[in-house]
Amino acid sequence: FWRSLRYYIIYRLLLAILFVVLGGALGKSLELDVAHTLLFFSASAIYLAIVLVSFILLRLRRLGFSWQLALQVCGDILILSVLSYASGGIQSNIGLLLLISLAAAGLVSRGRITLFFASLASIATLLVHAYAVLHDDVPVAQFVQVGLQCMAYFAVAWMAHSLAKYAVDSQLLAQRRGRDLVSMSEA
């Protein structure tokens, strides 16, 4: 479990570094207005700090595995939603990165709370788009795209849940057959 969580954190670290570089070095060429450029860079820097803290928490193992995973996925949902808003909303496709987080969380946690994470991601995506519609004159018709993206969150979460359940069942079957072989060899 802990090794897979470490790989997930490494993915998040690379993603956070990419966002900081994009926001810092290429901020002007991202064609965002000034307020959104500052929001994008600030959220990227906060994301990098959160990921670095999660490395420390992983090393200390003060929190249990499930708590650490939940904090990391919720952090991804929050920060990636803000980055999506700052970079133009649904058209930036940053929200699609949540699919990777949901799939990783589903496989790492063996699917226990993946659908809960999918619902949090959907709520965050819908709230961010509603805010953009109310404050930034984003077309209301884009709610269809947001809805499709939310459906993709649930589809990926369910698939990760199913794969994780299948892997656990296969592992239990292999262990049972191994015990049967040992008992047969002793007899």
Side-chain angles (χ1 to χ4, degrees), residues 63-141:
L63 295 174
F65 174 81
S66 297
W67 279 104
Q68 286 196 28
L69 179 65
L71 287 174
Q72 290 180 32
V73 174
C74 288
D76 281 0
I77 291 169
L78 178 68
I79 296 295
L80 290 176
S81 296
V82 170
L83 288 171
S84 177
Y85 168 75
S87 61
I90 189 75
Q91 295 176 339
S92 71
N93 291 323
I94 288 181
L96 294 177
L97 291 172
L98 284 174
L99 293 171
I100 297 170
S101 294
L102 291 171
L107 294 173
V108 169
S109 71
R110 297 189 177 188
R112 286 181 274 200
I113 55 174
T114 310
L115 294 176
F116 173 71
F117 292 142
S119 47
L120 285 180
S122 296
I123 290 168
T125 303
L126 288 167
L127 287 174
V128 165
H129 187 69
Y131 181 82
V133 166
L134 293 174
H135 290 91
D136 296 337
D137 295 327
V138 172
V140 176

Side-chain angles (χ1 to χ4, degrees), residues 1 6 13 16-17 33 40 44 47 58 70 73 100 105 112 116-117 131 133 154 159 168 171-172 184 186:
F1 290 122
R6 184 177 330 124
L13 178 65
I17 291 171
D33 62 17
F40 187 91
S44 299
Y47 188 45
L58 181 69
V73 174
I100 297 170
R112 286 181 274 200
F116 173 71
F117 292 142
Y131 181 82
V133 166
F154 279 99
M159 186 172 39
V168 169
Q171 180 184 9
L172 292 174
M184 286 174 58
E186 291 174 355

Side-chain angles (χ1 to χ4, degrees), residues 21-83:
V21 169
L22 284 176
L26 305 173
K28 301 287 188 235
S29 61
L30 290 177
E31 297 182 10
L32 305 173
D33 62 17
V34 176
H36 289 130
T37 302
L38 180 62
L39 178 62
F40 187 91
F41 181 73
S42 300
S44 299
I46 291 169
Y47 188 45
L48 182 59
I50 289 171
V51 171
L52 292 175
V53 167
S54 66
F55 261 122
I56 294 169
L57 290 175
L58 181 69
R59 296 286 280 177
L60 296 176
R61 293 189 185 180
R62 295 265 184 216
L63 295 174
F65 174 81
S66 297
W67 279 104
Q68 286 196 28
L69 179 65
L71 287 174
Q72 290 180 32
V73 174
C74 288
D76 281 0
I77 291 169
L78 178 68
I79 296 295
L80 290 176
S81 296
V82 170
L83 288 171

